[in-house]
Amino acid sequence: MARITAGVGTSHVPLIGRAIDTKATDTDYWKPVFEGYEFTKKWIAEEQPDVIFLVYNDHASAFSLEMVPTFAIGCAEEFQPADEGFGRRPVPTVKGAPDLAWHVAQSVIQQDFDLTIINQMDVDHGLTVPLSLIFGEPDAWPCRIIPFAVNVVVYPPPSGRRCYNLGKAIANAVESFDEDLNVQIWGTGGMSHQIQGPRSGLINKDWDTAFLNRLSDNAEDLADIPHIEYVRETGSEGIEMVMWLIMRGALNTQVKELHRHYHIPASNTAVGHIVLENQF
Ligand code: DHB
Ligand code: FE
């Protein structure tokens, strides 16, 4: 059977992709951001996941305002990096896992969550920057990836509770797939940041730290945080953190925190990163 062995949370700042693509990772500004991923690079080389179920949000790259699915699962054989205005990032094509993706779609929809099925989609920095942070610059990504896009861009985004419960449904789905696969689930975005309006530049380290603490120990409570608290405390883009709750909901109650990294600033955000090993 397929098993979810670990969860990874990480920010997905576009400028991080730019720093990698322009070989600027060693500068005084960027070095401390990238150092926090060294543990994870070594760890994942040993873990060798077969598939990453990668929860992220599209930033109006694949979906325009004409169509905005709340939850969308990528069932295609492959996905190209999106052109976000400066050409496609020079990163490998993302190879999908259609058999598992279709199985998850069927199972999760029948557990009463509506998913949009995507057979063609370009993937933006929300997906490619986490891959670059954790796998570096390989010729091909070392495993297959199921892109899972969540609407946190256009009001109304889904609640934290719904995301957390969706994570549980995804875990049920993966664990009923009849192939021996090592599956990881990643949640991307955050942490606190606001990139628009009068509070642009807002960062809330205390709130972010409490969120990371509770993610390991007290995740059930995190699911009750209302939207208004994300907006007030973490800025308009902090709502991206509900995607970490899908990741956490897909893990067991008991997890082991293997690694944590938190650094301010990267572009307009606090960069946060956590690695949680599933305990059985
Ligand atoms: C920034 C961060 C994001 O998560 C994002 O999607 C876009 C921009 C930023 O810090 O500039
Ligand atoms: Fe984002």
Side-chain angles (χ1 to χ4, degrees), residues 27 59 65 76 99 106 114 122 124 138 143 156 159 166 169 186 189 206 279:
T27 60
H59 303 74
L65 286 179
D99 289 351
Q106 173 191 301
D114 298 325
D122 288 351
D124 75 7
C143 63
S159 69
L166 171 61
W186 293 11
D206 289 345
Q279 304 293 293

Side-chain angles (χ1 to χ4, degrees), residues 8-21:
V8 172
T10 179
S11 304
H12 63 212
V13 187
L15 212 53
I16 290 179
R18 186 79 190 143
I20 294 169
D21 300 342

Side-chain angles (χ1 to χ4, degrees), residues 160-225:
R161 173 62 61 188
R162 188 153 179 80
C163 287
Y164 190 74
N165 288 341
L166 171 61
K168 290 182 190 295
I170 291 167
N172 286 338
V174 169
E175 281 154 18
S176 61
F177 187 63
D178 201 14
E179 200 182 317
D180 246 346
L181 294 175
N182 175 355
V183 180
Q184 291 187 358
I185 184 161
W186 293 11
T188 82
M191 295 195 83
S192 54
H193 64 304
Q194 171 144 348
I195 55 178
Q196 57 194 320
R199 296 200 309 164
S200 179
L202 181 146
I203 283 174
N204 186 342
K205 183 176 181 183
D206 289 345
W207 198 97
D208 288 341
T209 306
F211 185 93
L212 290 169
N213 290 341
R214 289 163 71 191
L215 206 58
S216 302
D217 305 338
N218 214 351
E220 185 68 39
D221 289 0
L222 276 184
D224 288 328
I225 296 172

